[in-house]
Amino acid sequence: MKLLVAVVLLCFKNIYAYNYTVKYIDVPVDHFSFTTNATFKLKYLINDSFWIDDGPIFFYTGNEGIIENFAENTGFMFDKAPMFNALLVFAEHRYYGESLPFGNLSFSTPAHLGYLTANQALADYVYLINYLQTEHSRSAYLNKVPVVAFGGSYGGMLASWLRMKYPASVIGAIASSAPIWQFQGLTPCENFNRIVTDVYKTALEEDCSDPLQKSWKIIRNLTSTDAGKSWLSTEWKLCTPLKTAADVNTLVNWFSEILINIVMVNYPYPTSFLAPLPANPVRSFCNKLTGVEVTDDKTLLTSIGAALQIYTNYTETTTCNNINQTAAALGEAAWDFQACTEMIMPMCSDDNDMFENYAWDFNDYATNCNKKWNVRQTLAELPVLEFGGKDIGAASNIVFSNGLLDPWSSGGVLSNVSSTVSAVIIPEGAHHLDLRGENPADPKSVTEAREFHVSNIRAWISEFYNSRDTNYFKKSVLYEKIKYTHASV
Amino acid sequence: MKLLVAVVLLCFKNIYAYNYTVKYIDVPVDHFSFTTNATFKLKYLINDSFWIDDGPIFFYTGNEGIIENFAENTGFMFDKAPMFNALLVFAEHRYYGESLPFGNLSFSTPAHLGYLTANQALADYVYLINYLQTEHSRSAYLNKVPVVAFGGSYGGMLASWLRMKYPASVIGAIASSAPIWQFQGLTPCENFNRIVTDVYKTALEEDCSDPLQKSWKIIRNLTSTDAGKSWLSTEWKLCTPLKTAADVNTLVNWFSEILINIVMVNYPYPTSFLAPLPANPVRSFCNKLTGVEVTDDKTLLTSIGAALQIYTNYTETTTCNNINQTAAALGEAAWDFQACTEMIMPMCSDDNDMFENYAWDFNDYATNCNKKWNVRQTLAELPVLEFGGKDIGAASNIVFSNGLLDPWSSGGVLSNVSSTVSAVIIPEGAHHLDLRGENPADPKSVTEAREFHVSNIRAWISEFYNSRDTNYFKKSVLYEKIKYTHASV
């Protein structure tokens, strides 16, 4: 595990050189029962170089991967920290990176892995925030600094839920590309794949989704023979040649996931989030398919194989493709458990998208999950009960931002919920582009979204100090200082 | 257990004859992990005799006792159900009454008892509400009826937290005598006992707290000898004579608790909530102490012994006093576990109140709890982290009502938090008097509090229907019907 972490960090270390110190805090394994008093070390990253005068804490609610990777790809927090004199904290999600409640045994049985839930992670963050607020308060006259939550994707869902469930812990949340409505009964399961398809359709003048849509049958036909399996294994540089029908299914999933991942990180400049990639990777991918003669099956697959290298081998250092992995920095096994038990996001495909057709059948899904994890979920709408589904009108101080190039916008909050729960649309944005650091290639829409975030954070901080006890000694002095700090931006 | 339940029901069955059907629903033992898939039967009471036209569900969030006792003492819900065409539901709290997750083993070890937490109980209620909303929707054009939460005391805390944590499940909460601020760092630990003392001080013209304050030393002196222990055991009709110093401590606790309980249920008419009692029981109690010569120790204790019978033997059927029990209908063991682990409410006594002095020392408390339950709590402020402490400004649609004769008002919300989180003061009210049924002896302040509750519930229901999708078919028709129903009240 340690080695993998080191390699990943090496890969993802980028030119911005975001700095932080790695720390750990002991947190309870189970926040919601007294059946065990076990604790474990939760990792977090901290940077206090911008932090002066009891500035706020900018708190990233870590999601499904090693936390360093999210810190390295959330430059927005670093960019805006000086403006707010903010303390930066990035908390790792339990069961990812180094934050393993039972070490090597963490994934061994449901008794070990069962504490991997969104609610337990939220409680970890509340626990850590309380510790930070207690430890990091330089002046005696303020016993608590305000905390703003930030998160992208599942991390954005957690940021918004943290504000909904624990509004005393965070004064507001910037929830970027957070598909809190990608659950049973809230969003049609086909929407996600239609957005992916649209991005491939419109990336170039020539419709690039068309050859992809045709490829599935070709793959299935070709791999029905051993010779075909062997040919495709060589042509697509697989580390392990295809042997069985199950291997072919794995390949199809891997191929589908890469097509989706490229769209998610379809940023306007080179990045290294899910994998090292060029600017506008969908366009680069589609360029490799331009003018392919679709009547020749092998030529099509050869072209797709070459196009896939945009994702799998942009650094030209990959010797072969491991079809069991699509994003090294994400904890794919742990996320699979979460998706099987709590974060159940119905997905399906039909003739209106470019993927191989598949239906959403919760019972099949739950049965398959039970085989893998020995846990059977019977309540598809569990996350709706836990987090309210579309009834979030009682929430406050949340910004939901979504890029329209991002398939996860299918489950996002795309219009304002109330005067304090706002939606921001970034037409040219992929997956949480707004949380990335500023870049000359940024479209205007993402710059405007970031300005909207800043104005909301300012308002939340003002509200926090205004609502304090007006008799509090020196409050007005501090408040003036903060206003001055903001005015100087 | 069954026998106890039957006896209790017999005792508490009162003249109002509130009707309900007993039902059960299977709920997960652990809502917050996937380490177990065990379920158990949660009991609830239901009355649909007032329920017409998709009226709301009035949902009582059961607290620390058999649910029938709360239903019998929450006449307010029955009184107002016809006005709202409401379905009445009273849910039993896990580990109380019949709702035992592991049957006879429920209290055996932390592995069994550890699932007794407020958050697990709230999740039970969300689960049950979802079931009720799914099952109890008569018309096809409305898929979800609004739910209003009601609760008194700890049940009131749960009602308010249910709205704070799960606003999609309940549109609002009537939280009566809910001491949500009786936690570490929020309320001075001596406040509670000072209010108790004030009630005894002012019940009659003569200060009744004075002889009580003097009694502790007398008891301690007298029981320092075997003869004294024997005399007091006989005089106070104890079932088991005092033998040890520990027995004397138990007696002192029992006596203190009864003094507190009498204040809590100091209602202006005879009731049978914690015990069968006359109207204004504090006055009845103090009457027995009027004119007692406090220089004669034994006469004082004899008078107090007679006065205690107001609480222990109002029915004149009690043959002896069991000092290990003060309120038969409450699950005192289960509550002790809760108070030891999560609902940690600091209490202390000093010379400004009538009780024997004792300090609040969390470490001592936790050590003692660990001895009893084999669970050590290290975080006194746990409930503050879980439920936000005094920072509840983000909440909405809650009414906190408190009687000023109620010592639990020490930890209550006594002033408005916002335009949608209101406080109601009932100067002449004891513990959740407003949730009781109407009575000719009611003070005007409790009648007004109930009117305030009704106006809030009306507003919440209107808001619920207004915020629905305006395009919803037939919505306007239903809404007109509801308005008409309300107008006719």
Side-chain angles (χ1 to χ4, degrees):
Chain A
M1 198 63 199
K2 284 263 169 78
L3 183 67
L4 173 67
V5 169
V7 171
V8 167
L9 285 185
L10 210 64
C11 292
F12 292 119
K13 206 79 189 174
N14 64 26
I15 50 159
Y16 293 98
Y18 298 122
N19 292 316
Y20 40 76
T21 305
V22 178
K23 294 201 173 185
Y24 303 85
I25 181 175
D26 289 316
V27 297
V29 168
D30 188 359
H31 292 274
F32 297 97
S33 92
F34 298 101
T35 59
T36 170
N37 59 5
T39 61
F40 72 101
K41 292 201 182 300
L42 190 86
K43 181 168 72 179
Y44 64 100
L45 314 179
I46 189 161
N47 176 331
D48 64 0
S49 61
F50 311 108
W51 190 55
I52 47 173
D53 289 340
D54 289 299
I57 297 173
F58 282 5
F59 189 95
Y60 187 91
T61 51
N63 33 320
E64 70 279 27
I66 179 170
I67 190 60
E68 283 85 346
N69 190 33
F70 297 111
E72 297 289 342
N73 288 279
T74 310
F76 174 70
M77 287 169 67
F78 287 88
D79 289 349
K80 302 305 175 190
M83 180 186 285
F84 288 97
N85 305 334
L87 179 71
L88 292 175
V89 176
F90 297 83
E92 192 162 76
H93 193 294
R94 52 167 58 203
Y95 291 87
Y96 294 93
E98 287 180 76
S99 301
L100 302 176
F102 299 100
N104 290 338
L105 292 175
S106 299
F107 291 79
S108 57
T109 70
H112 295 88
L113 188 50
Y115 301 105
L116 171 51
T117 74
N119 274 312
Q120 298 277 5
L122 292 175
D124 288 338
Y125 300 153
V126 169
Y127 202 92
L128 173 56
I129 285 169
N130 181 55
Y131 167 78
L132 293 169
Q133 286 180 318
T134 310
E135 294 296 304
H136 294 266
S137 191
R138 285 186 184 141
S139 46
Y141 57 86
L142 265 186
N143 58 2
K144 204 171 140 179
V145 294
V147 180
V148 180
F150 297 77
S153 192
Y154 170 51
M157 299 162 76
L158 292 170
S160 71
W161 292 335
L162 189 59
R163 171 62 191 171
M164 291 182 204
K165 294 289 189 189
Y166 301 94
S169 295
V170 294
I171 61 171
I174 303 293
S176 177
S177 300
I180 62 164
W181 291 343
Q182 193 73 39
F183 294 122
Q184 183 75 35
L186 304 182
T187 296
C189 59
E190 66 272 19
N191 287 12
F192 183 94
N193 286 326
R194 289 190 187 180
I195 297 173
V196 175
T197 304
D198 281 344
V199 174
Y200 282 97
K201 249 190 219 306
T202 57
L204 297 177
E205 231 166 277
E206 191 177 317
D207 179 355
C208 167
S209 75
D210 186 57
L212 295 168
Q213 186 166 25
K214 289 179 171 131
S215 71
W216 311 106
K217 268 195 186 152
I218 297 173
I219 292 173
R220 293 291 184 189
N221 282 336
L222 189 74
T223 57
S224 64
T225 69
D226 286 350
K229 284 195 191 83
S230 175
W231 181 86
L232 190 60
S233 300
T234 308
E235 199 62 25
W236 282 18
K237 296 187 170 63
L238 306 191
C239 298
T240 313
L242 301 169
K243 289 265 164 58
T244 64
D247 292 345
V248 174
N249 287 336
T250 303
L251 175 84
V252 163
N253 287 340
W254 172 81
F255 177 27
S256 303
E257 274 177 35
I258 288 179
L259 293 175
I260 290 165
N261 285 359
I262 296 175
V263 171
M264 278 167 61
V265 293
N266 189 25
Y267 300 128
Y269 48 88
T271 61
S272 299
F273 179 46
L274 297 181
L277 282 168
N280 301 303
V282 175
R283 216 177 290 164
S284 299
F285 182 96
C286 288
N287 264 325
K288 301 266 185 183
L289 298 187
T290 302
V292 169
E293 181 51 66
V294 295
T295 50
D296 179 346
D297 290 355
K298 285 195 171 176
T299 309
L300 177 71
L301 294 191
T302 300
S303 302
I304 290 176
L308 282 172
Q309 293 211 54
I310 297 286
Y311 186 87
T312 59
N313 195 20
Y314 183 58
T315 56
E316 298 187 355
T317 56
T318 310
T319 52
C320 65
N321 292 317
N322 173 4
I323 60 172
N324 291 303
Q325 193 174 61
T326 57
L330 299 185
E332 293 178 282
W335 181 252
D336 189 67
F337 178 82
Q338 288 198 262
C340 270
T341 50
E342 189 186 28
M343 297 294 106
I344 303 156
M345 300 183 174
M347 294 279 175
C348 61
S349 173
D350 60 23
D351 289 344
N352 292 311
D353 64 58
M354 70 184 203
F355 292 95
E356 195 174 34
N357 284 7
Y358 61 95
W360 169 250
D361 183 316
F362 174 64
N363 285 333
D364 281 358
Y365 182 82
T367 301
N368 188 33
C369 284
N370 191 34
K371 274 184 204 153
K372 284 191 280 187
W373 297 109
N374 201 20
V375 173
R376 173 173 280 281
Q377 183 52 269
T378 53
L379 193 66
E381 65 268 39
L382 174 64
V384 179
L385 291 192
E386 291 182 317
F387 301 110
K390 297 224 166 176
D391 294 339
I392 58 167
S396 61
N397 295 7
I398 304 172
V399 177
F400 289 102
S401 59
N402 280 282
L404 293 188
L405 297 182
D406 177 16
W408 289 109
S409 66
S410 63
V413 179
L414 302 180
S415 57
N416 293 342
V417 171
S418 67
S419 61
T420 61
V421 177
S422 314
V424 179
I425 301 294
I426 307 166
E428 299 90 352
H431 205 40
H432 46 71
L433 173 62
D434 49 334
L435 288 192
R436 303 188 62 79
E438 282 172 35
N439 188 288
D442 280 333
K444 189 164 169 254
S445 59
V446 78
T447 306
E448 287 172 349
R450 291 184 186 129
E451 282 166 12
F452 187 77
H453 295 339
V454 167
S455 73
N456 273 277
I457 295 166
R458 260 188 208 151
W460 299 336
I461 292 173
S462 295
E463 184 191 350
F464 173 81
Y465 285 111
N466 278 332
S467 70
R468 286 206 165 197
D469 184 349
T470 46
N471 296 324
Y472 209 93
F473 181 59
K474 284 198 179 174
K475 177 199 157 264
S476 58
V477 177
L478 180 82
Y479 185 53
E480 282 310 307
K481 194 175 357 172
I482 283 164
K483 277 202 294 191
Y484 176 77
T485 308
H486 292 175
S488 69
V489 168
Chain B
M1 197 65 199
K2 283 263 169 75
L3 183 66
L4 173 67
V5 170
V7 170
V8 167
L9 284 185
L10 211 63
C11 291
F12 292 118
K13 207 77 191 173
N14 67 23
I15 51 162
Y16 293 96
Y18 299 122
N19 292 315
Y20 40 77
T21 305
V22 178
K23 293 201 173 184
Y24 303 85
I25 180 174
D26 289 316
V27 297
V29 168
D30 188 358
H31 291 276
F32 296 98
S33 91
F34 298 101
T35 60
T36 170
N37 58 6
T39 62
F40 71 99
K41 290 201 183 301
L42 190 87
K43 182 168 72 179
Y44 64 99
L45 315 178
I46 190 162
N47 176 329
D48 64 1
S49 61
F50 311 108
W51 189 57
I52 47 173
D53 289 339
D54 289 300
I57 297 174
F58 282 5
F59 189 95
Y60 187 90
T61 51
N63 33 320
E64 71 280 26
I66 180 171
I67 190 61
E68 282 85 346
N69 190 32
F70 297 112
E72 296 289 342
N73 287 279
T74 310
F76 174 69
M77 287 170 66
F78 288 89
D79 288 349
K80 303 305 174 190
M83 181 187 286
F84 289 97
N85 305 333
L87 179 71
L88 292 174
V89 175
F90 297 83
E92 192 161 74
H93 193 295
R94 53 168 57 202
Y95 291 88
Y96 294 94
E98 288 180 77
S99 300
L100 302 177
F102 299 100
N104 290 340
L105 292 176
S106 298
F107 291 78
S108 56
T109 70
H112 295 87
L113 189 50
Y115 301 105
L116 171 51
T117 74
N119 274 312
Q120 298 278 4
L122 292 176
D124 288 339
Y125 300 154
V126 169
Y127 202 91
L128 173 55
I129 286 168
N130 180 56
Y131 168 78
L132 293 168
Q133 285 180 317
T134 309
E135 294 296 303
H136 294 265
S137 190
R138 283 186 184 143
S139 45
Y141 57 86
L142 266 185
N143 58 1
K144 203 172 141 179
V145 295
V147 180
V148 180
F150 297 76
S153 194
Y154 170 52
M157 298 162 78
L158 292 170
S160 71
W161 292 334
L162 189 59
R163 172 62 191 170
M164 291 183 206
K165 295 287 190 189
Y166 300 94
S169 293
V170 294
I171 61 171
I174 302 293
S176 178
S177 301
I180 62 164
W181 292 342
Q182 193 74 37
F183 294 122
Q184 183 75 34
L186 305 181
T187 296
C189 59
E190 66 271 20
N191 288 12
F192 183 94
N193 285 327
R194 288 189 188 182
I195 297 172
V196 176
T197 304
D198 281 346
V199 174
Y200 282 97
K201 248 188 219 309
T202 57
L204 297 176
E205 231 166 278
E206 192 177 316
D207 179 357
C208 165
S209 75
D210 186 57
L212 294 167
Q213 184 166 27
K214 289 180 171 129
S215 71
W216 311 105
K217 266 193 190 156
I218 298 172
I219 292 173
R220 292 292 181 184
N221 282 337
L222 189 75
T223 57
S224 63
T225 68
D226 286 351
K229 285 193 190 81
S230 174
W231 180 85
L232 190 60
S233 299
T234 308
E235 200 61 28
W236 282 17
K237 297 189 169 62
L238 307 191
C239 297
T240 312
L242 301 171
K243 289 265 163 60
T244 64
D247 291 347
V248 175
N249 287 335
T250 303
L251 175 85
V252 165
N253 287 340
W254 172 80
F255 177 25
S256 302
E257 273 176 36
I258 288 178
L259 293 175
I260 290 166
N261 285 357
I262 295 174
V263 171
M264 278 167 59
V265 293
N266 190 25
Y267 301 127
Y269 49 89
T271 61
S272 300
F273 179 46
L274 298 181
L277 283 168
N280 302 304
V282 174
R283 214 177 291 167
S284 299
F285 182 96
C286 288
N287 264 325
K288 301 266 184 182
L289 297 186
T290 301
V292 168
E293 180 52 65
V294 294
T295 52
D296 179 346
D297 291 353
K298 286 196 169 176
T299 310
L300 177 71
L301 293 191
T302 301
S303 301
I304 290 177
L308 282 172
Q309 293 210 55
I310 297 285
Y311 186 88
T312 60
N313 194 19
Y314 184 59
T315 56
E316 298 187 352
T317 56
T318 309
T319 52
C320 66
N321 292 318
N322 174 5
I323 60 172
N324 291 302
Q325 192 173 63
T326 58
L330 300 186
E332 293 179 281
W335 180 253
D336 189 66
F337 178 82
Q338 288 198 262
C340 270
T341 49
E342 189 186 26
M343 297 293 108
I344 302 156
M345 300 183 175
M347 293 279 177
C348 61
S349 173
D350 59 25
D351 288 345
N352 293 310
D353 64 60
M354 70 183 203
F355 292 94
E356 194 174 36
N357 285 6
Y358 60 96
W360 168 251
D361 182 316
F362 174 64
N363 285 333
D364 282 0
Y365 183 82
T367 301
N368 187 34
C369 283
N370 191 33
K371 275 183 203 153
K372 285 191 280 187
W373 298 109
N374 201 20
V375 173
R376 173 173 279 281
Q377 182 51 268
T378 54
L379 192 67
E381 64 268 38
L382 174 64
V384 180
L385 291 192
E386 291 182 317
F387 302 111
K390 295 222 167 175
D391 294 339
I392 58 167
S396 61
N397 294 7
I398 304 172
V399 176
F400 289 102
S401 61
N402 279 281
L404 294 187
L405 297 181
D406 177 15
W408 289 110
S409 65
S410 62
V413 178
L414 302 180
S415 57
N416 293 342
V417 172
S418 67
S419 60
T420 60
V421 176
S422 313
V424 179
I425 301 295
I426 307 165
E428 299 91 352
H431 205 42
H432 47 71
L433 173 61
D434 50 332
L435 287 192
R436 301 188 63 80
E438 282 172 37
N439 189 289
D442 280 332
K444 188 163 169 254
S445 59
V446 78
T447 307
E448 287 171 350
R450 291 183 186 130
E451 282 166 12
F452 186 77
H453 296 338
V454 166
S455 72
N456 273 276
I457 295 166
R458 259 186 208 153
W460 300 335
I461 292 172
S462 294
E463 185 191 347
F464 173 81
Y465 286 111
N466 278 331
S467 70
R468 284 208 167 198
D469 184 349
T470 45
N471 297 323
Y472 210 95
F473 182 60
K474 282 196 181 176
K475 178 201 157 265
S476 59
V477 177
L478 181 81
Y479 185 51
E480 282 311 308
K481 194 174 358 173
I482 284 167
K483 278 202 295 190
Y484 177 79
T485 308
H486 293 174
S488 68
V489 169

